[in-house]
Amino acid sequence: MKVTSRHALVGLIVISLGSGCATWRRARAGGGTAASPVSITAPPPDLAGSLVLAAATVTPGGAPAPRPAPAGDPIAEALADAYRSFKDLSEGKNADYIPILASIDPKLYGLVVVTVQGAIYEIGSARDEFSIQSVSKPFTVARVIETAGAEIVDKRIGVNATGQKFNSILAMDLLKNIPSDKDKVTPAGNPLVNPGAIATVDLLPVPTGMDKWGVILGNLEAFAGRKLSVNDEVYRSESETNTHNRAIVQLLKDYEVVQGDPMQALDLYTRQCSVSVSARDLAVMGATLANGGRNPLTGAQVVSPESAAKTLAIVATAGLYETTGEWLYKVGVPAKSGVGGGIVAVVPGKFAVGTFSPPLDAAGNSVRGQRAVEALLQKLGGNLFASKPAGRARSTGAMSPAPDGPSPAVARGRN
């Protein structure tokens, strides 16, 4: 097998590929896959065969084709219910500050669950492609954490939520001039807002003999388990209208956060956001993080379990921009959105959900995607903060009103 520089990922990560454990087909023009029933692709067999580099992918056609999920499958039923519940939802609107995104069919809607064992459940426009946009950010910072280290990400970019919009220059000024810790000034905010994401691209190490774009794209391919490509129309549209990001990157250079060529960092970031993916891809990528950094379809150890954990912590902190706290309060899992209409949500050790629906809320998050993930996880029990009491319940007396006056606990408190 011929390996190009794009396929020579940092560290020469190796995987073992069997007779084909990942399939792909392009979505039909103008529409998605059948809306019902939910289809399932079984987990791959134990991987065996020759060793290849991690970004290399299996040629299409080797894996079992999707088939209808069996009756009574809890994941399939929850996925179908979530799909039906919000299929006709008309809230939100497509992003229009990137002109090409405004033209995408707002009715497209797909949901996918990929388990850490490699089972794939999908419904709706699950394989229609769209630009990954900000959903790319966690996967690039995962590579930086893996190769440059978690400490330098915290020191040079930051990991705290900004509380501002994803492209806020005000947040940069506040973090630079009024830092919460004078010994730790991080105007980029965190890797999931635009300043931090551009700084992440600048910080990404490049092995000898490779170019930085090859590392970025090869990393995304390793997470997705297949070859990916840039949507040139989206890339041109973004490049022609990214004046705000140009101001951001010049400030980053002035603040000595970006240490290389600022316009090169911006161009690479713009290309990264223009990569075409599907909801199925996002679910596979999320399942790789859920599976300790190992792609459940290809077996590639894309990043270490420690890097995957650090990445998910950042996603939990800032994945849905200024509404992340509300999301975590209601749903209880790390999730990352993008203005292209995608969302990936991760339940560590179990599964990931990928969604696609272009209409967004005011913060830039897919409206249908958020609702569907919330409904799905309520049924599947994915909230990381939920727990069941151990042992038998018994009354403490403090919560039960006494028939003739305050409870003993309250009465004791008065003495």
Side-chain angles (χ1 to χ4, degrees):
M1 178 183 132
K2 182 179 179 181
V3 179
T4 65
S5 63
R6 195 176 76 185
H7 293 132
L9 270 184
V10 181
L12 296 181
I13 307 169
V14 295
I15 61 175
S16 176
L17 294 178
S19 59
C21 51
T23 58
W24 177 251
R25 65 170 177 75
R26 285 195 176 273
R28 297 190 305 269
T33 55
S36 179
V38 172
S39 64
I40 177 174
T41 303
D46 290 338
L47 300 170
S50 59
L51 295 176
V52 297
L53 296 175
T57 55
V58 182
T59 55
R67 54 181 170 77
D73 186 307
I75 297 178
E77 290 183 350
L79 195 67
D81 287 347
Y83 182 82
R84 286 192 295 264
S85 295
F86 305 106
K87 187 175 185 300
D88 297 323
L89 188 68
S90 59
E91 296 177 24
K93 68 172 187 174
N94 289 26
D96 55 11
Y97 72 95
I98 301 172
I100 189 64
L101 299 185
S103 65
I104 298 173
D105 184 355
K107 295 181 180 178
L108 291 173
Y109 175 38
L111 304 177
V112 184
V113 171
V114 175
T115 70
V116 294
Q117 293 79 23
I120 304 171
Y121 297 79
E122 56 190 278
I123 191 169
S125 306
R127 302 196 186 191
D128 281 79
E129 293 187 343
F130 55 94
S131 58
I132 190 170
Q133 298 297 333
S134 288
V135 188
S136 64
K137 295 172 181 176
F139 304 102
T140 299
V141 78
R143 174 59 45 199
V144 173
I145 291 171
E146 181 78 2
T147 54
E151 185 176 347
I152 194 169
V153 171
D154 185 20
K155 181 179 180 181
R156 193 157 131 197
I157 300 173
V159 295
N160 287 322
T162 68
Q164 303 292 329
K165 291 182 70 64
F166 62 88
N167 60 354
S168 173
I169 290 177
L170 172 63
M172 296 176 65
D173 277 338
L174 291 173
L175 290 166
K176 173 65 177 177
N177 299 309
I178 316 175
S180 57
D181 181 350
K182 66 180 182 179
D183 296 321
K184 185 181 178 184
V185 180
T186 55
N190 64 70
L192 305 188
V193 293
N194 287 11
I198 296 169
T200 299
V201 169
D202 178 67
L203 184 58
L204 179 67
V206 179
T208 303
M210 292 186 68
D211 63 276
K212 184 168 285 193
W213 174 244
V215 175
I216 293 170
L217 184 58
N219 179 62
L220 294 176
E221 289 177 336
F223 272 104
R226 74 174 185 99
K227 290 184 178 181
L228 302 173
S229 61
V230 172
N231 184 316
D232 289 330
E233 191 174 6
V234 172
Y235 170 66
R236 286 193 300 270
S237 183
E238 289 203 49
S239 297
E240 291 167 358
T241 58
N242 64 353
T243 52
H244 199 90
N245 281 346
R246 289 176 216 166
I248 286 173
V249 77
Q250 293 299 342
L251 272 177
L252 289 172
K253 184 68 174 179
D254 185 56
Y255 292 160
E256 300 181 342
V257 176
V258 166
Q259 297 179 1
D261 182 339
M263 298 314 295
Q264 180 191 50
L266 176 58
D267 179 69
L268 290 170
Y269 167 72
T270 305
R271 285 182 184 273
Q272 171 185 295
C273 290
S274 304
V275 169
S276 292
V277 293
S278 66
R280 188 181 192 271
D281 290 326
L282 295 187
V284 174
M285 296 168 84
T288 301
L289 291 175
N291 194 35
R294 181 175 297 172
N295 188 308
L297 301 190
T298 67
Q301 191 69 47
V302 184
V303 295
S304 68
E306 295 76 15
S307 295
K310 294 290 188 185
T311 301
L312 289 174
I314 296 171
V315 174
T317 302
L320 268 71
Y321 308 118
E322 66 268 32
T323 64
T324 303
E326 184 178 355
W327 168 264
L328 210 58
Y329 183 75
K330 292 194 300 184
V331 186
V333 299
K336 184 70 196 83
S337 64
V339 295
I343 290 179
V344 60
V346 180
V347 182
K350 295 183 178 180
F351 59 84
V353 185
T355 75
F356 172 46
S357 175
L360 312 176
D361 63 15
N365 308 311
S366 171
V367 176
R368 274 201 204 102
Q370 291 178 86
R371 301 277 186 86
V373 173
E374 181 177 6
L376 184 65
L377 295 186
Q378 284 178 347
K379 292 197 173 183
L380 297 179
N383 190 320
L384 300 183
F385 304 103
S387 60
K388 293 182 179 180
R392 291 185 60 186
R394 62 186 181 87
S395 173
T396 64
M399 302 302 295
S400 303
D404 298 314
S407 69
V410 173
R412 285 195 299 271
R414 288 178 177 175
N415 294 333

